[in-house]
Amino acid sequence: MHVRNSNTVFIPNNVAIIGAFDKKYLNSADGTMTMAKNYLDFFELNTNFSRGYLKDNAEERKTGYQDRITGIDKGYKSSLIMVSFQNNTSAAAGKDASIILLEEAGIFPNLQEVYSITQPTLEDGDVITGMMVIFGTGGTKGANWETLEKMFYNPTAYNAVTFNNVWDENQSGYGCGFFHSYLQNLKPYVDDAGNS
């Protein structure tokens, strides 16, 4: 959460994308986009990093302001964009984002296709220009998490960071994705500031 908000606040002309298969995981009362907007509002109202908003709607928040005389958009002009991949697997293609977060990947039936279309937008030749973070619940009953499982157990095939598998029995020395149990976000595993 903090990464995409700090990019929007501190990096001019930056694009951060929050995506999911179903919009309800993004724009509900406790959705990821809703939480991100709350963080941005905190920066705007309570810190010296106020940027103003050029756009503020359900799907995009763009920092900046409009010059009163010329009408030209000025300021940081960084965007936080919400996209649903339910009916459009190329929803993030061509947006030149520095970070793309794919929420609730455990119930993301077209994750493989979305990844295949979106990953090249984070590269310029051999140069990596952005980062994709894929996360969410893997064990939900009735979920379609086969692609997430493939990505987790073979991260190099997806150009992802590989970790030593210390989570599965007798798998130390083998590579996998990073596992962070939700339990690590509960007491007694968090400090007074909420850090795991």
Side-chain angles (χ1 to χ4, degrees):
M1 186 72 64
H2 299 293
V3 171
R4 66 184 157 266
N5 286 316
S6 61
N7 286 1
T8 305
V9 173
F10 297 115
I11 302 173
N13 302 304
N14 182 75
V15 175
I17 296 173
I18 304 171
F21 178 75
D22 192 331
K23 267 187 188 176
K24 72 180 178 184
Y25 298 112
L26 302 172
N27 62 6
S28 63
D30 60 348
T32 311
M33 184 69 167
T34 304
M35 289 187 286
K37 284 183 172 185
N38 289 340
Y39 280 116
L40 287 174
D41 285 342
F42 179 85
F43 277 112
E44 193 67 23
L45 299 171
N46 300 295
T47 73
N48 291 328
F49 304 109
S50 176
R51 304 290 184 224
Y53 297 129
L54 285 165
K55 283 187 185 176
D56 186 13
N57 57 54
E59 310 213 336
E60 181 177 5
R61 183 167 272 181
K62 184 173 184 176
T63 61
Y65 63 95
Q66 197 168 67
D67 185 284
R68 291 181 188 188
I69 297 171
T70 64
I72 295 172
D73 290 348
K74 292 188 173 184
Y76 270 55
K77 297 186 275 184
S78 291
S79 294
L80 179 63
I81 301 171
M82 176 188 87
V83 296
S84 166
F85 294 96
Q86 190 166 17
N87 298 311
N88 182 5
T89 54
S90 59
K95 294 210 178 347
D96 195 26
S98 66
I99 187 164
I100 298 173
L101 304 177
L102 300 182
E103 166 74 287
E104 290 299 341
I107 44 179
F108 207 127
N110 58 358
L111 180 60
Q112 178 64 58
E113 188 176 358
V114 167
Y115 175 84
S116 297
I117 293 168
T118 307
Q119 181 60 32
T121 69
L122 301 171
E123 302 170 350
D124 185 5
D126 291 337
V127 177
I128 303 296
T129 60
M131 176 174 67
M132 187 181 311
V133 178
I134 301 169
F135 60 101
T137 308
T140 305
K141 188 174 182 176
N144 183 350
W145 46 276
E146 290 176 17
T147 301
L148 180 59
E149 184 177 29
K150 286 180 193 173
M151 291 176 159
F152 183 81
Y153 286 112
N154 190 7
T156 54
Y158 294 91
N159 199 22
V161 177
T162 303
F163 296 86
N164 181 27
N165 189 346
V166 296
W167 298 283
D168 291 322
E169 192 173 325
N170 300 319
Q171 293 300 305
S172 184
Y174 294 95
C176 69
F178 183 75
F179 176 75
H180 179 90
S181 170
Y182 82 96
L183 295 173
Q184 290 176 283
N185 294 328
L186 304 174
K187 293 202 181 272
Y189 306 107
V190 294
D191 62 20
D192 290 338
N195 299 305
S196 297

